[in-house]
């Protein structure tokens, strides 16, 4: 069993594209909500996936309950973040609309280095500070499902860039608050999600170096996702030899359908190869960093659904 700590309000999950950041965000969210924590998953990236996974409509920049007690999600779309920022800054809707709809302004926001990232992170920061009617924090845990490495680095560097570019003024102040939040060891912790494969492991090591270099985001664990289990309990030469014989015997007995025994053996051998490759990279990660590792198995589910993520959540205790 792997324990994931919920002692800081902002839990960031970052990593290479497609390694399972959103999946792990859902698993961690389910686990936290089950433990009684009011949890919000803030999703970034190309497309919104989390609300639809739970059968909900797109979140449209609103906190969307996922049908599980205490668990909500929101997709932090950069354009919506800009609109929200303008509305909040100008208060008067009549003034905000022409700005929001202006193509020139949109082009400027797209082009200005770090600006839309600052606006998106501003929204995240607001959730971190949000209070309920009694003045208590509305969310005990905010999970940021960050964009894939390249965009993620741009995102996490944006406060620094904005501060350097502006030096004073409202954008500078926002960027400073965000930068303080991201670096705060009392409020923030980043876990890196990876696969136990060559490229994701290389990117994980690069990301650790960057966080410890100029970015100063406190690091937690490395979540090694979708690790293939060994195909055989005991992959001894003798056992494999016996299995190689077995398909021929069972084929002779005529008990196979369209998929022949050779195909089944090939799949098992492939899975076993994957399992050994994964084990190699798990060891490499464990040997080359001082961060704790949480290993999550490959879940054999098609199609992927909430119950699949729940299987991973059950392992996070
Ligand atoms: N532990 C696992 N076992 C089996 N399949 C998995 C596992 N984790 C993730 N997957 C599969 O991989 C797919 C991609 O995962 P996910 O969307 O979480 O990746 P991501 O890192 O968020 O991708 P992106 O960078 O595009 O946002 C999932 O839809 C699921 O089908
Ligand atoms: Mg994702």
């Amino acid at each position: 069993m792997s324990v994931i700590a919920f002692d800081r309000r902002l839990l960031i999950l970052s990593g290479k594209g497609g390694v399972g950041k959103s999946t792990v965000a859902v698993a961690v969210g389910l686990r936290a909500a089950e433990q009684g924590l009011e949890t919000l998953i803030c999703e970034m990236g190309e497309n919104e996936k989390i609300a639809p996974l739970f059968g909900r409509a797109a979140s449209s920049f609103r906190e969307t309950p996922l049908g599980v007690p205490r668990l909500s999600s929101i997709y932090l779309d950069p354009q919506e973040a800009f609109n929200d920022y303008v509305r909040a800054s100008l208060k008067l809707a009549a003034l905000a609309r022409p700005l929001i709809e202006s193509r020139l302004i949109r082009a400027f926001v797209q082009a200005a280095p770090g600006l839309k990232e600052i606006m998106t992170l501003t929204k995240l920061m607001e959730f971190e500070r949000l209070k309920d009617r009694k003045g208590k924090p509305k969310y005990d845990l905010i999970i940021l499902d960050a964009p894939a490495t390249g965009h993620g680095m741009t995102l996490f560097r944006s406060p620094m860039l904005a501060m350097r570019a502006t030096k004073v003024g409202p954008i500078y102040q926002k960027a400073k608050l965000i930068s303080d939040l991201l670096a705060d060891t009392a409020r923030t912790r980043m876990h890196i999600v990876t696969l136990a494969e060559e490229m994701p492991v290389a990117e994980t090591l690069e990301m650790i170096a960057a966080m410890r270099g100029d970015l100063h985001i406190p690091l937690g664990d490395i979540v090694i996702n979708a690790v293939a289990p060994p195909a055989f309990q005991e992959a001894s030469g003798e056992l494999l030899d016996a299995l190689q014989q077995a398909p021929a015997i069972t084929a002779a007995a005529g008990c196979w359908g369209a998929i022949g025994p050779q195909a089944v053996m090939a799949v098992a051998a492939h899975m076993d190869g994957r399992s050994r490759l994964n084990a190699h990279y798990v060891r490499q990660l464990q040997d080359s960093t001082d961060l704790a590792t949480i290993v999550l198995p490959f879940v054999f589910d098609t199609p992927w659904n909430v119950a699949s993520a729940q299987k991973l959540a059950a392992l996070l205790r």
Side-chain angles (χ1 to χ4, degrees):
M1 291 288 173
S2 315
V3 178
I4 192 150
F6 297 137
D7 54 348
R8 302 186 193 173
R9 199 181 321 282
L10 179 57
L11 188 159
I12 302 173
L13 293 167
S14 63
K16 189 172 165 28
V19 296
K21 295 175 296 298
S22 303
T23 299
V24 174
V26 169
V28 172
L30 287 167
R31 183 73 196 111
E34 189 192 71
Q35 283 189 8
L37 302 179
E38 199 58 52
T39 303
L40 177 68
I41 305 175
C42 293
E43 185 180 5
M44 294 180 78
E46 298 289 305
N47 300 298
E48 176 162 15
K49 287 194 206 154
I50 294 179
L53 179 74
F54 285 80
R56 310 277 137 168
S59 63
S60 313
F61 218 60
R62 289 211 179 85
E63 300 144 85
T64 303
L66 295 177
V68 173
R70 295 177 292 279
L71 187 61
S72 306
S73 78
I74 183 169
Y75 178 58
L76 295 183
D77 177 55
Q79 183 59 48
E80 288 296 336
F82 164 72
N83 298 353
D84 193 72
Y85 188 93
V86 172
R87 274 189 221 108
S89 306
L90 293 179
K91 301 279 190 293
L92 222 61
L95 281 179
R97 188 173 306 150
L99 267 181
I100 289 170
E101 286 172 1
S102 155
R103 264 202 254 160
L104 191 69
I105 299 273
R106 276 178 189 231
F108 171 72
V109 173
Q110 286 299 329
L115 195 53
K116 62 179 187 305
E117 284 82 7
I118 290 293
M119 290 167 176
T120 314
L121 288 172
T122 296
K123 192 72 188 164
L124 179 78
M125 187 171 65
E126 284 169 14
F127 288 129
E128 199 270 334
R129 299 164 146 206
L130 205 59
K131 301 277 192 290
D132 65 14
R133 283 201 209 108
K134 292 184 195 147
K136 283 200 180 150
K138 178 169 180 196
Y139 294 109
D140 302 308
L141 188 71
I142 291 161
I143 301 168
L144 173 62
D145 173 15
T149 316
H151 286 131
M153 289 299 194
T154 310
L155 178 79
F156 298 123
R157 287 220 161 86
S158 63
M160 223 158 52
L161 283 178
M163 283 161 73
R164 261 190 231 140
T166 52
K167 305 259 184 350
V168 285
I171 299 279
Y172 176 91
Q173 283 161 12
K174 281 270 187 310
K176 173 82 172 76
L177 288 172
I178 296 167
S179 169
D180 291 349
L181 169 64
L182 292 180
D184 189 347
T185 53
R187 288 185 291 169
T188 302
R189 188 182 273 123
M190 175 188 279
H191 302 285
I192 302 175
V193 184
T194 185
L195 297 176
E197 289 173 16
E198 187 178 358
M199 290 305 290
V201 165
E203 282 197 20
T204 299
L205 297 176
E206 280 167 26
M207 194 174 285
I208 294 171
M211 293 308 148
R212 289 183 168 161
D214 60 338
L215 282 171
H216 309 296
I217 301 181
L219 287 169
D221 308 328
I222 303 176
V223 183
I224 311 176
N225 185 36
V227 171
F232 308 109
Q233 292 285 340
E234 213 179 299
S236 74
E238 265 173 50
L239 177 68
L240 280 175
D241 283 349
L243 276 169
Q244 292 290 359
Q245 303 297 326
I249 297 161
T250 51
C255 56
W256 288 92
I259 296 174
Q262 274 7 39
V264 173
M265 277 307 290
V267 170
H270 173 78
M271 281 309 297
D272 203 55
R274 256 207 92 66
S275 166
R276 268 180 276 149
L277 177 106
N278 285 168
H280 166 80
Y281 284 107
V282 169
R283 273 195 306 277
Q284 194 187 87
L285 266 175
Q286 288 170 339
D287 290 346
S288 46
T289 81
D290 55 351
L291 298 179
T293 50
I294 294 177
V295 176
L296 294 177
F298 189 93
V299 175
F300 293 89
D301 276 5
T302 316
W304 188 262
N305 55 35
V306 177
S308 321
Q310 187 74 63
K311 290 179 189 165
L312 297 177
L315 298 171
L316 297 170
R317 57 180 82 227

